Amino acid sequence: MLDEVVDFAGEALPGASVPPYSETVFLAELGERVRSSRMRCDLSRRELARRSGISERYIAQIEGGKGNVSVVLLLRLASAIHRSQPQAA
């Protein structure tokens, strides 16, 4: 997940090979990636909130592209999601 976030940030930051970035678009796409990662691990927002220590309401805002999430909170979300992924046999 962290690699995806780094790749995504590199695509959306100034100087990348894409048109000038939009913070609104960046936050919306970041929120969608958090949501899809959470759902891929079959986690509810409530469970992700419990595991990450971030309120369920704030997770909803992030997933909706409305929360301007800090790097530290993003790391906590990524860590909680990563720990929820099924382990390969």
Side-chain angles (χ1 to χ4, degrees):
M1 162 116 179
L2 187 55
D3 289 337
E4 290 177 355
V5 171
V6 170
D7 290 344
F8 176 69
E11 293 171 3
L13 292 175
S17 61
V18 295
Y21 76 103
S22 161
E23 291 176 3
T24 303
V25 171
F26 178 84
L27 290 174
E29 289 185 22
L30 179 64
E32 179 54 39
R33 287 177 185 231
V34 169
R35 177 186 291 115
S36 65
S37 294
R38 174 179 62 78
M39 294 178 79
R40 206 172 28 251
C41 292
D42 199 28
L43 284 174
S44 66
R45 282 188 187 141
R46 178 171 289 165
E47 182 61 18
L48 181 56
R50 187 187 69 74
R51 292 179 186 208
S52 67
I54 300 169
S55 76
E56 187 176 347
R57 180 179 294 231
Y58 192 57
I59 291 171
Q61 288 177 340
I62 292 167
E63 289 184 354
K66 305 298 182 199
N68 193 355
V69 64
S70 72
V71 172
V72 172
L73 291 184
L74 187 57
L75 181 61
R76 285 169 50 188
L77 287 171
S79 179
I81 291 170
H82 178 72
R83 287 192 312 263
S84 301
Q85 292 179 339
Q87 300 300 315

